[in-house]
Amino acid sequence: MVLYWNRPRECMERGQLEVLQLRRLQKTVQAVYHNVSYYREKMQEADIYPEDIRSLADVVNLPFTTKQDLRDSYPYGSFAVPLSQIVRLHASTGTTGKPTVVGYTREDIDAWAELTARGICCVGGGKDDVVQVSYGYGLFTGGLGMHYGAERMGASVIPTSAGNSRRQAMLMNDFGSTILCCTPSYALLLSEILKEAKIPVEDLKLKIGIFGAEPWTEQMRDEIQKRLQINAYNIYGLSEVMGPGVSIECPEKNGMHIWEDHFLPEVINPETGEPLPDGQIGELVISCITKQGMPMVRYRTRDLTSITHEKCACGRTHARIARIMGRSDDMLIIRGVNVFPSQVESALLAMGEVSPHYHLVVTRENNLDILEVQVEVSENLFSDKVRSLEGLAARVKKEVENTINLGCKISLVEPRSLPRSEGKSVRVTDLRKI
Ligand code: ADP
Ligand code: ZN
């Protein structure tokens, strides 16, 4: 049985959905033009005015908004309402530089809770669930975003936040958590901690994982599902646009529905800014069409994905975005070849011989870039038999090199020797830049 949180909205006929989107887009463009100086300046420069938005297709004539625009107006310059109407502030993690500040009105917080509730329901959650929120609480949007959604849905929420993993494992067992929300890397760590604490996963009530905030692969999903014996779903979001819950998978696990009654997505060629057709990978651009505090028009997420508008078997009509490959700034250029950490992850995990813990180190020697892939050997395979490890290293090297089309060095390291992450994991150390 398919569960919907808001069936009329989730299954809205596309024509009607587009009428709603256009009305909301027009209203948003009016609001930013009149209330945010950098939008007004950029629009005047491009000679485009709110009344020029007559159809959804006209969105492509609006200027893009970038992270730099937000940094330039730090902290409050991009708010479209006076601070007295802002009830909450968050900041992006700052993974790629100075954090950006985001502000929410009461209505924005309400819409966010609605959408995360919709998302939790979309993966099969309901009011009888016990939701353990192990995303960090605080300026990061992960914790509070999921918290409000789970609470709105009527579930019992355990606000553990990230960290203190032993205790997390104990509470998961004692409180009978049925849904776990955290980063995929933290889910992996929790599976190790459960093992260490001798809590058999069979004894847990856990059935669903809602994982996101960092790139992960299908292979990593298989690994986590196996270890925790759950159904793991991908959730996507970013603070500038809202926070977690912008987009989430349904039980079809075939792309993440992006809630188009609140967001207008586009995929563009990151080099030229031109729109790309469905199915082609490019940069995701999102316009928020209901946000009041800090509306984003054509925000360049830098996240790489593709989009499809095909109707999903679950009955929802909202478009779906593919698993995010990474951000354009995660892409490493090594000896002229483009490499994403997620490609290495899928090659490593597809082999089934090494653990899911890896780290990439890039150095430069004599003007030549060198990629080292450090990967932990699985506990059961770890032995002092240098010979068998050498054979394994050679196999890993072949697999990774075939996937990324680039020569690399493989360092097999001892189980549990690479750092673990409680939030967003850092997959790369690029010593060329230091
Ligand atoms: P920061 O940009 O500083 O990391 P956020 O905490 O707002 O700030 O993180 C949002 C970013 O996290 C997204 O732009 C995207 O790169 C990444 N992200 C979120 N969810 C996913 C996901 N499911 N898969 C891949 N990447 C994700
Ligand atoms: Zn679906």
Side-chain angles (χ1 to χ4, degrees), residues 172-173 176-177 191 194-195 198-207 224-230:
M172 184 184 286
N173 191 24
S177 309
S191 76
L194 284 162
K195 206 166 170 191
K198 301 206 164 39
I199 302 174
V201 284
E202 299 74 34
D203 291 359
L204 298 175
K205 297 229 164 60
L206 207 60
K207 55 175 191 182
I224 298 173
Q225 292 195 144
K226 197 168 73 201
R227 286 183 182 218
L228 288 175
Q229 295 183 15
I230 55 169

Side-chain angles (χ1 to χ4, degrees), residues 278-339:
D278 277 22
Q280 279 195 28
I281 296 179
E283 179 179 347
L284 179 65
V285 170
I286 302 179
S287 298
C288 305
I289 52 175
T290 54
K291 240 168 106 189
Q292 302 177 340
M294 200 182 111
M296 288 281 104
V297 173
R298 298 199 89 202
Y299 183 68
R300 290 189 62 156
T301 65
R302 299 189 287 182
D303 292 322
L304 299 174
T305 184
S306 62
I307 194 164
T308 172
H309 290 82
E310 259 172 44
K311 195 171 167 183
C312 181
C314 74
R316 292 177 181 85
T317 47
H318 296 235
R320 280 165 292 153
I321 54 169
R323 188 177 278 286
I324 309 279
M325 272 179 82
R327 328 185 194 224
S328 45
D329 17 356
D330 289 339
M331 188 180 79
L332 292 162
I333 304 180
I334 301 170
R335 303 201 292 275
V337 179
N338 300 346
V339 179

